[in-house]
């Protein structure tokens, strides 16, 4: 394991149990429409989904733009691309492509919208990726970033200091763990205009957030940045909290849009 490239490597090669968690976590849910609001998606638009994963979100977008529009998903994980193309087999207007690096296999000015959901925290060079998105967008086209900020999480009953230590211990899994707060500035520096920032609070008391915590725990185990016994005890405390009502998981999503002039 190379700690310096783990943020990319762990997406190219995904263990079976983590893959199974992603299949569940990334399902399209109607509530996700609110995450897309500022993108102002319209029927007939051509949309790029950067880091499309198993393809559920791109298929949700395809339902919004309709068959008069089109969706292209791109990802660095070959298995995701194959599975997503299989899921989209009956839709001529949805296609998924494998990426080798930040360069996108499309002509300049191809897309009306570019969506990046929980992806830019992993790209090796945020500025280069945003410039590349700007290249493939049409003039007036809009990029819409949906992302977390791992310094902005609540997990009860852990308390703030423990949450900070836990996510700090998992931080090498991300190239940019604080991308939520940085996205607007990064768009400005990549030349986008009309930048808008809103937030959608994801609040969970039922245990949905445990998948996120389990992934973090597996990264922490790999990095050896916290003792296994402590992580095990924290995970048990969170699980028990669902039963006794003390559990609360909150991970706001930053929604950040910018327009190509
Ligand atoms: C947290 S998942 C989000 C998947 C999907 N966007 C969703 O929300 O359902 C992150 C995705 O980004 C992809 N990814 C990671 N680094 C990438 C890069 N440099 N370029 C494109 N995709 C990348 C991963 O393979 C993975 O599918």
């Amino acid at each position: 394991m190379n700690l310096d490239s783990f943020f990319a490597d762990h997406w190219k090669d995904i263990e079976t149990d983590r893959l199974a968690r992603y299949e569940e976590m990334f399902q399209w849910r109607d509530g996700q429409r609110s995450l897309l609001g500022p993108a102002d998606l319209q029927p007939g638009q051509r949309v790029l989904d950067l880091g499309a994963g198993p393809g559920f979100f791109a298929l949700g977008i395809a339902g919004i733009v309709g068959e008069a529009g089109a969706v292209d998903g791109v990802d660095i994980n070959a298995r995701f691309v194959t599975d997503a193309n299989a899921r989209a087999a009956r839709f001529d207007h949805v296609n998924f492509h494998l990426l080798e690096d930040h360069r996108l296999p499309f002509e300049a000015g191809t897309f009306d919208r570019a969506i990046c959901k929980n992806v830019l925290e992993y790209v090796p060079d945020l500025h280069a990726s945003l410039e590349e998105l700007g290249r493939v967008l049409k003039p007036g086209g809009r990029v819409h970033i949906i992302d977390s900020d791992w310094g902005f999480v609540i997990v009860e009953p852990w308390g703030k200091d423990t949450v900070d230590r836990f996510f700090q211990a998992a931080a090498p899994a991300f190239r940019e763990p604080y991308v939520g707060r940085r996205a607007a500035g990064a768009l400005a520096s990549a030349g986008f205009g009309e930048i808008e920032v809103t937030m959608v609070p994801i609040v969970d008391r039922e245990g949905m957030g445990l998948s996120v915590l389990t992934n973090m725990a597996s990264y922490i185990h790999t990095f050896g940045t916290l003792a296994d016994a402590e992580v095990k005890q924290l995970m048990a405390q969170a699980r028990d909290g669902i039963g006794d009502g003390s559990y609360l998981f909150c991970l706001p999503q930053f929604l950040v849009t910018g327009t190509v002039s």
Side-chain angles (χ1 to χ4, degrees):
M1 189 249 324
N2 180 346
L3 206 57
D4 292 335
S5 58
F6 183 88
F7 66 87
D9 297 342
H10 83 286
W11 284 115
K12 290 183 182 157
D13 190 12
I14 305 178
E15 319 84 76
T16 313
D17 56 337
R18 192 155 56 91
L19 197 65
R21 278 196 295 280
Y22 290 146
E23 291 283 315
E24 174 55 29
M25 287 165 73
F26 299 154
Q27 289 287 333
W28 171 259
R29 296 173 177 86
D30 246 7
Q32 289 178 325
R33 280 174 183 271
S34 65
L35 298 175
L36 285 166
D40 188 28
L41 294 177
Q42 300 294 334
Q45 286 177 336
R46 183 158 181 193
V47 180
L48 173 71
D49 185 10
L50 175 70
F56 299 113
F57 202 67
L59 283 164
I61 293 170
I64 298 172
V65 299
E67 292 191 8
V71 180
D72 289 278
V74 293
D75 205 283
I76 57 168
N77 180 282
R79 166 80 186 265
F80 277 156
V81 172
T82 304
D83 290 355
N85 271 322
R87 279 190 185 100
R90 65 183 195 282
F91 301 110
D92 286 342
H93 66 308
V94 187
N95 291 287
F96 296 89
H97 320 262
L98 186 63
L99 282 189
E100 301 297 333
D101 53 37
H102 74 284
R103 285 170 301 178
L104 297 165
F106 304 102
E107 303 272 311
T110 300
F111 294 98
D112 301 287
R113 298 287 183 267
I115 311 285
C116 330
K117 178 171 168 289
N118 305 122
V119 174
L120 292 179
E121 57 207 302
Y122 304 108
V123 299
D125 183 336
L126 182 57
H127 187 77
S129 286
L130 292 178
E131 281 193 332
E132 182 65 350
L133 289 174
R135 182 186 71 77
V136 299
L137 280 164
K138 297 174 184 171
R142 195 178 288 188
V143 63
H144 178 54
I145 299 167
I146 303 162
D147 225 317
S148 309
D149 183 303
W150 297 104
F152 219 74
V153 190
I154 292 168
V155 186
E156 287 297 320
W158 290 0
K160 184 176 183 318
D161 289 349
T162 300
V163 171
D164 288 348
R165 244 165 20 91
F166 184 83
F167 283 94
Q168 194 60 45
F174 306 97
R175 178 71 179 89
E176 179 44 83
Y178 309 117
V179 70
R181 71 191 71 179
R182 286 206 54 222
L187 279 179
S189 112
F192 287 85
E194 297 175 39
I195 296 165
E196 291 170 12
V197 184
T198 53
M199 284 169 90
V200 168
I202 291 181
V203 180
D204 164 50
R205 295 194 62 237
E206 324 259 287
M208 185 192 74
L210 286 181
S211 300
V212 175
L213 299 179
T214 303
N215 285 343
M216 298 297 152
S218 91
Y219 301 147
I220 292 169
H221 172 72
T222 305
F223 306 147
T225 38
L226 282 182
D228 282 349
E230 182 184 2
V231 174
K232 196 171 165 194
Q233 182 262 325
L234 286 172
M235 292 304 295
Q237 194 186 18
R239 269 191 296 275
D240 292 348
I242 298 167
D244 67 22
S246 62
Y247 168 82
L248 177 75
F249 176 85
C250 181
L251 178 63
Q253 293 297 285
F254 285 74
L255 311 185
V256 186
T257 55
T259 301
V260 176
S261 52

